[in-house]
Structure formats: structure tokens, C-alpha cells
Amino acid sequence: MTHRAGRHFLQIPGPTNVPDRILRAIDRATIDHRSGEFGELGAECLTGLKAIFQTESPVIIYPSSATGAWEAALVNTLSAGDRVLAFETGHFANLWAKVASNLGLCVDLIPGDWRRGVDAEQVAEKLAADRNHEIQAVMAVHNETSTGVRSNVPAVRHALNEAKHPALLMVDTVSSLGSIDYCHDEWGVDVAIGGSQKGMMLPPGLSFNALSPRALEASKRSTLPKSYWRWTEMLASNSKGFFPYTPATGLLYGLREAIRMLQEEGLPCVFARHARLAEAARVAARQWGLEMVAQNPSEYSNVVTALLLPDGFDEKALRSLILEKLNMSLGSGLGKLAGRAFRIGHLGDFNELMLAGTLAGVEMGLTLAGVPHRKGGVNAALEYLTRRLA
Amino acid sequence: MTHRAGRHFLQIPGPTNVPDRILRAIDRATIDHRSGEFGELGAECLTGLKAIFQTESPVIIYPSSATGAWEAALVNTLSAGDRVLAFETGHFANLWAKVASNLGLCVDLIPGDWRRGVDAEQVAEKLAADRNHEIQAVMAVHNETSTGVRSNVPAVRHALNEAKHPALLMVDTVSSLGSIDYCHDEWGVDVAIGGSQKGMMLPPGLSFNALSPRALEASKRSTLPKSYWRWTEMLASNSKGFFPYTPATGLLYGLREAIRMLQEEGLPCVFARHARLAEAARVAARQWGLEMVAQNPSEYSNVVTALLLPDGFDEKALRSLILEKLNMSLGSGLGKLAGRAFRIGHLGDFNELMLAGTLAGVEMGLTLAGVPHRKGGVNAALEYLTRRLA
Amino acid sequence: MTHRAGRHFLQIPGPTNVPDRILRAIDRATIDHRSGEFGELGAECLTGLKAIFQTESPVIIYPSSATGAWEAALVNTLSAGDRVLAFETGHFANLWAKVASNLGLCVDLIPGDWRRGVDAEQVAEKLAADRNHEIQAVMAVHNETSTGVRSNVPAVRHALNEAKHPALLMVDTVSSLGSIDYCHDEWGVDVAIGGSQKGMMLPPGLSFNALSPRALEASKRSTLPKSYWRWTEMLASNSKGFFPYTPATGLLYGLREAIRMLQEEGLPCVFARHARLAEAARVAARQWGLEMVAQNPSEYSNVVTALLLPDGFDEKALRSLILEKLNMSLGSGLGKLAGRAFRIGHLGDFNELMLAGTLAGVEMGLTLAGVPHRKGGVNAALEYLTRRLA
Amino acid sequence: MTHRAGRHFLQIPGPTNVPDRILRAIDRATIDHRSGEFGELGAECLTGLKAIFQTESPVIIYPSSATGAWEAALVNTLSAGDRVLAFETGHFANLWAKVASNLGLCVDLIPGDWRRGVDAEQVAEKLAADRNHEIQAVMAVHNETSTGVRSNVPAVRHALNEAKHPALLMVDTVSSLGSIDYCHDEWGVDVAIGGSQKGMMLPPGLSFNALSPRALEASKRSTLPKSYWRWTEMLASNSKGFFPYTPATGLLYGLREAIRMLQEEGLPCVFARHARLAEAARVAARQWGLEMVAQNPSEYSNVVTALLLPDGFDEKALRSLILEKLNMSLGSGLGKLAGRAFRIGHLGDFNELMLAGTLAGVEMGLTLAGVPHRKGGVNAALEYLTRRLA
């Protein structure tokens, strides 16, 4: 391959740019996964991750993609034919629903237009209608990576509480964890799903479940076949920092470092930084006059901004051109947004000047691709950031 | 943690010492897993791995521990209640059988004393008795990591052929792949299971399935619930070098490098090197007078040697002392060998002088721990190696 | 130290951002510097570097800072009390002249205002006046890093030729090599001085001399005491890729990789990229209304832009604020520009989006520091770049 | 190049095997060498290095090979034509004397047979004869890397004291620093010379001078031309952790880590470890029946053992064979030992099992090369080590 000068801007909404400190932590000799030294590593990761999820309940770490943690949430708590409530908030919500179907669950998928989050009122209606409590789980995606829409998880919890419905609340935090405030215990979530390669700043390869006492109880009744994803053996081994099968040691070194970095910066600062950078991206988008996929300002995502192109323009062409001429990767339109929307990732180990470069790449790309837009998006973003930093 | 001078000798039978060249390949910025650059990486890994398995059929790469690939082999080909034939050749054979049980399969586990491989005659008898062809799969572990016993896979295939039995042949190659000759197509294996952290010289975190046309056909009939492990979507995406969900990019960089390294050395040379070093380890063991767990010379493993301690001596104490005084990790006694046997890993990126250091550590450790033995094991091993190198 | 989110922008005019590919090349086990493997490494570096200097004459590689290569150029060719002609084009020209004085040479330093390059007419006058050819060497800095002024080396050569003056022509290419076209042989330079940490994209620690046949002859007559810097032993060892004393093996791995990267991109493309990015920086500066230190457009540097602040504003305060709030390092005002000018480095492994981030940081910083300027510098730069990329 | 399986054993007496922890510290983005962050790095290195030299006086760090620090010691303290006393204890002592000659000093080189250290009685005689105190410096090599002979530095100091001779005492600690006890202040050394690539466990590229108040005074009178090596500017900048010219930032990261590692292990433990491993190497050598170059047991080096081959055997052939068949680099015979002696480096980040591998490589190599020797050297070394560890 020919050398491309300068740093590549990996501005897809995950995997994100892995900071050198984490890459270097991973670049270390493997140790015996049954040694005391490993036990300390495992324990620090498991404990630290609880703080990131803001929970006192156990957290599970899988050597797998986050897709695996979706499956784990379901197979540990449910049984064949169980009914689950899902919401078509976007591509990943759909994929998770498909995982549920693949596993033999009966999925009640509330249709959506991919521009709004979970509608708590619809949740309330559905739950009210479910007199026999057939619904065993409500599956919500906290931050829908394909659309840049954040769902109001506490409102969903509120609907469950109001309806006095015993269904488990399952939340996908894959692209929100470590970037957008997520309060597992306070929000009353039963099973959360997370991954390493977004706000956690690691390469892909680790996934997480955060549990609740009710989820643990449900796991005793669940009869879906499972082995790799079984919480029981995991929890037993985890108590001393170990794992029931060979863990991905290298990535655990990285996870420990990532947790330390998030703690050094402080979670509130991490969330505020993401909020500031995201708003700057939206300021640019408004100036360009490109329509956001997300329609509801209270649901704007602080990790990714998905923008619709005017009719007749293809996001694939725009992204290819930007990759070729400006050495930046942007997120593609997924599912029904394919061809129509592109996505700017602004999460993880990210700062003002990286965002400036990113937005500059988009603005130059729009011009080079002939996409009609108002100039000055970068300028507007910089003015916003300058005010915020003053 | 206090600094321990010098290099740690990681002589457990996997994860193995990761060579710098692979660590450095992994220590690289993540790329867009939907980019053309990624497609080339994926394609090179998928193609290269076929050569390592010595197969023309597709190979699957999972972001998971090898335990996941055990599960994948089963859920893709079998259905609830299916009968499978397994052999208690050691700890990992047992664990795999347990995975099968966990998944709702009916496991016919032939008991064993952990000192011999799969008995092809027993296989023949079992198959002959199975007139209705209820057995859907025969599960064999090629190299049993807990005992240092290698099973004769072609003999098992021969038994199936002789019996004209249609059961699938599944083989665990986790600790043999890339170290001991394994010929997927020639031996007529239907599903092989592999992992990254042994002969493939990578950190743990990737697992493999190698398939056969018959396995692919079986997968169409299989009804066990599955999603993460589904071959269908994998194979569809793999055709262009991509994956249906986010792959572990960092480890794939490492896998590409590992495949290149094995090809540069040449598989026959890799196998010969392992054979030579393993025999040297056994020469030392014989001199020490320690009994090998493996009883049948034709079944000696070329990747790990498990040695029994005399009564009254605990392998845990021996290994702790060696770790503390000599900075070397040895493999523990697993399952019913706990306390009684320790294991010397001699696989992966390994050579004569590393083996010399390893055996020296064992010999010094035996003396320090007061374990009765004949001196001169290292010496004998060096004489053997010298003759082989002359 | 507290974690700073996101990548640091190291926009001093060197050391520059070291690309991962080079960092990883350096991160390798040391090899025996008397082995055949080392000889190949040394030979590839020495040969490759000749192509970068565009010379057929030998190139010397020192384990030292570039300051050492200044000294080497002088002590190898001159004798105590020799007269040399130098030009006060900026801080580094002055430092080099001071090195000459320290070594006992008689330096004829033509004063300058630090805003222009070497004046070829002045050179011609000086040479004409030197009837007895007492001047032994003319010392010019190709790109003055402290001011962002490039001197016209061919014009200096022309002056020497016209005057038929035998003085050696010595040129400091520390901040131009690998970034701005430098043609050692074509331009008739006798000794060039280079370093690893600018356009060569390496960490600091290596320095270079490129020679000429006349320089080699002069070295036979030179009587300044020398040992570490002696070309003679170097050239003798270099013929087989070795060095007379222990070389900096790690940095040589990096140098080999850097040369490969420059060759993959192609030197003309490297120079064009630097020119394009530099002009974009100047477009921004013009829009801001900040005065460039460089006064002569034909002498603008393509690697660094030095800008004067209005009276009453201190560059130290501006740079501290930008470092603290925006995680970017800019170059300080050096020597008589201290307090008055700051410098933007735009060289090495650098591209459009990194420049956009850099200029955004300057523009935000100017506002935050209350420095009067016209907005829209980044915008203007992006428009320029967009036109160039169309 | 073809892949060589397993870790290379770099057992030359420096550069030594760089531990991963140091390699990873070096593999880090360059920072602004004028920033506060750099100042902290520089200060920690400069202070920490004083503890390693066991001195309260300043230490100088050069971006250069150790050869440069030889030159620095001389040019900072002496003047043209000054007389210095040197001792032909081996190849490096000779080279240092040659540096002195190159620089115009008048070297009084006491001949030696390369098998003994500096003879304090000869020193006393020489000093007594020097009534006019013409000798300005006495140059001793603490550990002669080419012969494996350690000189008694306190005895040399004693001779100077007894003679009330004002000459400066200069000591080369290149291959002893961080491996063999060296007490700069207690022993009354005026200038010490060190390097990064031996006991300091770094790649080559940094060198050191440790000073004394008398050396600093001498530097005021010294008139040898100097610039790069001048202590004055160094000390002025060093007071705040900075350097007068661009330092080798990457290697300084590594130096900081090396100092931390030595402090974690504790210097007395580091020295004891080297002593133990060195004696084990000598035990093996005695068993082999190979003659050590070093003749005086009280002068045996704890970092390198040089062994003579019987007549008719060439060390080059032996080392080539060991490199080719066993992937280990041994030190060549240097100077008049070329062809006759080979050297085993056992210093730096080194431990028992690495030594076992090293000695095994030598023993196998001796047999393979047909060199007459008694078997059992490794065995004897292991027995010695076992006793020491009991």
C-alpha cells in the first residue's frame, strides 16, 4: 500500500481512534491467565468497569464483539418463545431485534422512522395492554449509532414503573458508555450491553454486560441454551479476578488503562467534553444547512451526528472522495439510510482540534463533491468552541 | 509491582510467548472495518488461515476465545437433543463435552484415564452399535493440552468410514494448529476448532472454525438457536474480506503477521522444530525420572509435556517456587491432575535456547523444591539437540 | 500527570509528529551492530539517505543532535583560525556561527534583520573583496527555522562561481531536508548538515553530513582536533554498512522506515504537499492580518510560518493559553524574536486536516488571548486547499 | 529476511537486550523539548542518573554514543598538548587513548597484556616520576568490555592520593554502570564516562559524563576547542531540566524508565544479581576447561566473560555457527584477541534462565564446532545457581 502522509482521521462513530497510551498498554507480553498478577489485572478491570457503568452490581467482560453481549443479555435471562418489546429506532436496534428472533424469542418490534428515540408513551401503552405480563423484556438502544439519536432511558424506566410491569429493562450502551452519561443503577436498568471500541477507546474485541439483582434472578429461570455467555461461571471466576475460559489478556491491559484515563479526566468532564464537541459539530451542520437525521433536539447524540444529503447526492461518493483526497473515514449510511446519510463520529479520545480537522474535512468534501451547502460551518463551530472555552 | 529482572519465561502450554513482530503488528491504529483497506486485511487472513488448516473449505474467524469456537461448531450443525460422541481424554475434552451438554445436546462421553488418546477401536464399536445413526457428531481433541496426549485423528476418520457412519467429525485443534501437522481436508474432518493463542503465537481473543462441505450442509438442517456464531452471515460477508459485525481489527493485524511468519518458516519446518524441541523435553524428563502423563509414545504431544510428581509433592508448590525464584510460569495440573502434574509448554515462537532455559528452570526448581529426581536432564536434552543440529 | 483527551498537536517546527509506522519500526529489539543483519540496515540507510539529499557523494550518519553535524562539517574541513563567512539570517544561523567561534574559527558574520535570507549580492561583494581567498567556507542556512525564511542556495553557489572563489559551501538543511527541495549535487554544495527530527519524521538523535569531492579533499588538509566527528573512519566503516563506534540502532530502524515512506510518496509529491499546506497557512495568516516575519515572498518557508504579534502582546502568553486550552504546542519566538513572534510548524508527516486543526487552534487562541485579528483565517485556508484539491 | 523462530539471544556485552518496558516507554510521541512536561522528564533523568553514578555532582547527558562522552571528558578539562596517563588494559582502553591522541593530547600509554586491570603500583611509579605534575589526567577503564577484566578504581585513586598528584581521575564506566558497583564520589573520580546501551538497558544513543568539583574547575582552564560537548551550556540549561540543543527525547523516556527499574530492584540487588550470574558463567567456563582472558580472579568482570579458544580454532567460525544454528549473538574477539577469544555478555536485563539458555548455546556450539572441551558446563552452572537460590 502506498504511504498516505499524515495521520488518518478515523471519524466513524466507532471503532474510535485508540490513544497511544492504550495501544502501548496492549503491546505487552501475555501473562499466565491463572497467575496472581493476572488476578489483579482482572479485578481492577471488573471493579473499574462498574464505576464506568455507575453500578454496584456485577459487570461481565466477554472476549467478543458487542454483538455477543446483545446475545448474552438475552440468553441469560429469557427462554424460548419469550416475548420481548423492541423499538425500531435505527439499524442497530433492528439488528439486536434480529438477534432476539434468531435465538427463538418472539419480538414485538415497534416500528419507527429512524429519526426519534424510544417513545415512552408507546412503551406505556404497550405495557398497559400486556395485562398478563407476557412481555419479559424491553430492549432499548441508549444511543443509536446509525442515526445519532439518543433515547431517554429514565423515561422508559418510568413507564415500566408506572405500569408496574415486571419486564426486564435491557439497554444497549455500546456507543454511549464512557461518552454520554449512563447511570445503570439510578436508572434501574437490568441488563446493559457495552463494547470496547467506542467511548472506551479500545480496539474492538471486548464486550460487556452490566447486571442487576433482578437480572440475576431471571438468569436462574432462563432456559435458552447457553454456554459461552453463561453469567454463572463468569461470576464465580470473576470473584477473584479470573475468567472461566482464556480471556483476551492484551485487551484487558488496554481496558485497565482506559478506565484509568477516564478516571483521571473524571467522568463528568468526559461527558461535558463530548457534549461540547457534539454541539460544535451540530453548529457546523446547521450552518451547512444539512438536515440532521435526528429530529428532536432533546435526543441529539453527543457521540455521532448523522446528516442527510440533498436528493441526488450519494453519501458513498462523498465519503470515498473524502477518504481519497483528505485521508478521513466517515460513517456510512446504514440500513435504510444507505446512500442518503453520512455520519460524523466525535467520540472517544477526541478534542477540539481533532474536531476542527474533522469538520474541515467534511466542509471541503462537500464542496469537492458539489453538494449544495452554506459555507462557514467550520467557522461557526470554532466560534462556538471559542465561546465555550473563554 | 516490583520489577523482575530479565525476561519472563511463559512456559504454560498457551497462551504462548507472542513474538515482537506480532505485538508490533497489533500495536497499530484501528482502521474502518468497512474500508477497502480492511477488506484486504480480512481476505488475507481468511485465505491464509485455510493454508494453515490445510483445507480448501472456508474458515471462520470469531472475535472470541476458542471456547466460543467449540460452541460454534455445535450450534451450527446440530439440533436440540442430538446425540454426540465424546471422549474423556482430558480436561479440555471434558469441558467441550460440558459445552455440548449446556447447549442441550445428549453427550455420550466415553470415559478415559487421561493418559491415552481417543481409542479408534472404541469409536468403531460405538458406531457399529449405533445402527440408527443417532450419533450426529464425533468430537475429538487433537492435542489434549491438559495431558500432553495427541489423538490419532485419521484413525477416528477411518473408523467412521469403515462403519459407513454419517456422523460429522469435529476436531479441537486449539493447541495443535500451527505446531503439529493437522490436515483438515486429507483427514476428512468436518469442523475444526482453533484459537489464536497457542501455535498461532497471538494473544488470546480470536477463534476459528474450519468447515467441510458436509458441515455446511448440516448447518442448513441445524435448529439450535444461534446468532453470534452463525456461519451463514459470516460466510456471506467473508466473501469480500468483511465480517457481519465489528471484528477485532487489532488481533487481525496480528493474525496476518502470524500467518506470514509461519509461511516464511514453512509449515514442515515449523512442525519439525516443534517435534525436535518436544523430544528434547522428553529426554530431560526421562533423565529426571519423572513419569509422563502420556503413556503411549505414539501419542506424545509435541507442544506440551505433562509430568507427574512423586506422591507427597504438590505441583502448585513447585510452580510457585519456580515463578518466584526463577521468573517462569509453568502449566498447572488441571482437573483430576490438579496437585499431581505440572505441564511444560514448548510451542509457538520457541527455539532451542528458550527450551534450554525452560528445562534449566524445571531442573533447578525440582532441586529447590526437594522433589526426588535424577540430575542431568538439561544436559541430556542438550546432547540430544546437539546431535539433531549437527 | 493528568490525562489530556485527544491527540496532542505538536506544531513546533520540529521535532515533528512521528508517524506510528516509524515509532513502531524503532520499537524493536536491538541487534548486534557487527552482524550481517546490521550491515544490511546500515547500507540501506546510507544509500537511501543519498537519494534524499539528491547526491552521489557519501552521506555520514551521526548518533547526535543536528548541532553535532554543524560541528562535524567544520572540524572535518577547517583548521584553527580559518576564516568563514556566515549570515545572520536568524537564531540558528547565529548558533551555527557561535559553534564556529567556539571551535576557534574566525567568523565573518554578515548582520541581518532576521526577515530575509542570505543576500547573494552581499556574498558576491564579500567574495570579491577577499582577494587572497582567506575565506575557507561560506555557511548558509537553507531554511531558517526561527524565522520561516528560506535562503536561495543556488544563488549563493552562483556568487561563488562568479567570483571563482574556492571557499567551501556549507548548507544547513536541518529543517528543509525531506520537506523542501534540496539538490546537493546540482546546487554544488560541499557539506550539508541534516537532522532526523524534522522532515525526516524521526525523533531527535541522528544527524547527517552530505559531502562533496571537494569537501573530502579539504578534510585531508584540516587540522582542527576531532575524533567523534571524523569522516575518515566513518567512511571506511560505512563502505560495508557498519560504523566505527556503536550506532543508535533503534533510530536507524526508524530512518530506514522514513526513507521508505518518503520514497513511497515520492520526493516531488512530498515537496508539493509541503508547499500546498504552507501556502494555506499563509492564506490564513494574511486573513488574520498578522505580519509574517519573512518579508520576501520568494523566500517564504514551506515548513514553518513565523508570525509577529501586535505590540503589547506576548507570544509566550498566547502559546501557553493554546497549550492549556487546546492541547497544541506552537514554536516560541527565539533570540530577538522572543516575546514577539510565534511559529507554526507545518512539516513532516502532515496533511490537510492536521493543518486545519492547527490553524483552528491558532485562530481560537488569538481570540481567547484577545489578540486583534480578522476572523476567517481557517475559512480562507480551507477555501484555498479546496481549490487545490479540486 | 526469513523468520527465525523464537527469541534471539543477544549476548554480546552490549548493546544488551532492551526490556519491553523500556522499548514501550521509548515508543511514544515526541513532545516539545521546551515545554514544562519536558522539563520534568529532563529533571527526573538528570537527578536519577546521579543516584546511579552514586554522586552528588552534576551528570551530563549527551545525545551521542559513549565514544562521544570519552571525547567530552577530555575536551572539557584539558588543553592541547596536555599529558595524560592511560593503560592498555584492552581494546576500549586503546580506543580511548586514540581519541585523546586524535584530539592533540600527549598520551602516555602504559602497555599491557590485555589480561589484567590497571596496575596501581605502576600508577604510583608513574606519578612519583612526574615531579612537575605534567600529567593532567589519569584515564582508567573500570570494566574492559573486550577482555572481561575489571580494574580497581579505588586503588588508582589511592595511588593519586599517596603521590599527592593533582591529575584528574577519569573513569570509563560504560560497561559497568548499572551492573557493577561504581561509587563516583566515594572513589574520588573526577570525570566518569557512561553510555545507555549496557547496564542501563537502553538502545545506544545516549552517553553520560559524571563530574566532580575539581573537574568543573579544570573545565574553566581547558582550552581545547569544543562546542557540542561543552559542559557550561549543558549545566546552565540542565538546572531546569532542559538542554542547550535538541535532546533525544525518545531515548530520555527510556532512560527515565530504566532509572525507575533499577531503583525498583535496588542497586545492591542489581549488583548481586550480576555477580551471581557472572560467577555461574565462570563455573561453566571452568568446567569446559576454556581459559579466561582475565587472569586475576579479583578482577573478573561481572558483566562479560571472555574465553580463549584452543589454538587452531577461530572464534569467528564458532560465533557464526552459533548464530546460524542457535540464534544467539556472542561478542567477537576485538583487537589482538580477534580470532582467539569470544565474549559472553551477561549484563543488563538478564536472569537465571536467560543465562541458562546462553550457556547452553555456548556448550552446544562448542560441540558443533568441534572445539575440545569438557561437557557439563551448563550443568555445573545450574548447580551453582541452585545453591545460591536455595
Side-chain angles (χ1 to χ4, degrees), chain C residues 237-285:
Chain C
S237 289
N238 285 177
S239 64
K240 292 189 174 167
F242 295 98
F243 293 86
Y245 43 79
T246 313
T249 315
L251 291 169
L252 291 177
Y253 293 139
L255 178 59
R256 175 169 59 182
E257 197 71 22
I259 292 168
R260 288 178 183 174
M261 288 167 75
L262 290 171
Q263 285 169 341
E264 285 172 26
E265 187 176 357
L267 281 184
C269 295
V270 171
F271 300 147
R273 171 167 58 80
H274 278 84
R276 184 171 71 242
L277 297 173
E279 181 57 24
R282 293 188 290 260
V283 163

Side-chain angles (χ1 to χ4, degrees), chain B residues 204-364:
Chain B
L206 293 181
S207 71
F208 319 122
N209 272 175
L211 315 185
S212 76
R214 290 190 64 234
L216 283 163
E217 267 186 47
S219 74
K220 292 176 193 158
R221 296 186 304 270
S222 152
T223 62
L224 269 178
K226 56 191 153 277
S227 184
Y228 191 76
W229 312 112
R230 279 168 84 104
W231 290 342
T232 332
E233 281 88 347
M234 273 288 188
L235 293 172
S237 289
N238 285 177
S239 64
K240 292 188 175 168
F242 294 98
F243 293 86
Y245 44 78
T246 313
T249 316
L251 291 169
L252 291 177
Y253 292 139
L255 178 58
R256 175 170 58 184
E257 198 70 24
I259 292 168
R260 289 177 183 174
M261 287 166 76
L262 289 172
Q263 286 169 342
E264 284 172 25
E265 188 176 355
L267 281 185
C269 294
V270 171
F271 302 147
R273 171 168 55 82
H274 279 82
R276 184 171 68 242
L277 298 173
E279 181 56 24
R282 292 187 292 260
V283 163
R286 273 180 221 121
Q287 174 63 23
W288 294 327
L290 293 184
E291 188 180 352
M292 286 180 63
V293 172
Q295 285 188 321
N296 194 341
S298 70
E299 294 179 328
Y300 287 162
S301 164
N302 283 342
V303 304
V304 54
T305 298
L307 298 175
L308 290 160
L309 288 184
D311 283 346
F313 292 92
D314 183 356
E315 50 93 8
K316 281 184 212 69
L318 173 68
R319 290 185 304 103
S320 294
L321 185 150
I322 288 174
L323 177 58
E324 185 206 327
K325 301 230 176 192
L326 294 162
N327 203 4
M328 173 162 71
S329 296
L330 292 171
S332 58
L334 292 174
K336 64 182 177 190
L337 293 171
R340 298 170 51 216
F342 69 97
R343 295 171 298 144
I344 306 169
H346 34 72
L347 74 162
D349 187 53
F350 200 61
N351 62 24
E352 279 75 8
L353 302 195
M354 294 169 84
L355 177 69
T358 300
L359 297 177
V362 174
E363 186 159 328
M364 288 194 274

Side-chain angles (χ1 to χ4, degrees), chain C residues 20-103:
Chain C
D20 284 354
R21 201 171 141 186
I22 290 180
L23 277 177
R24 232 54 89 245
I26 294 173
D27 183 18
R28 210 170 280 181
T30 310
I31 53 172
D32 180 0
H33 56 293
R34 303 180 207 267
S35 66
E37 187 183 350
F38 183 89
E40 289 172 28
L41 167 66
E44 185 174 341
C45 287
L46 289 160
T47 306
L49 207 47
K50 288 168 65 170
I52 307 298
F53 272 107
Q54 305 190 43
T55 184
E56 300 292 326
S57 288
V59 169
I60 306 278
I61 302 174
Y62 293 110
S64 86
S65 273
T67 303
W70 273 347
E71 182 164 330
L74 301 169
V75 295
N76 274 289
T77 54
L78 303 173
S79 304
D82 274 358
R83 205 173 142 205
V84 295
L85 186 61
F87 309 89
E88 192 197 354
T89 51
H91 185 64
F92 291 97
N94 273 10
L95 286 179
W96 191 14
K98 193 173 159 231
V99 168
S101 294
N102 282 344
L103 296 171

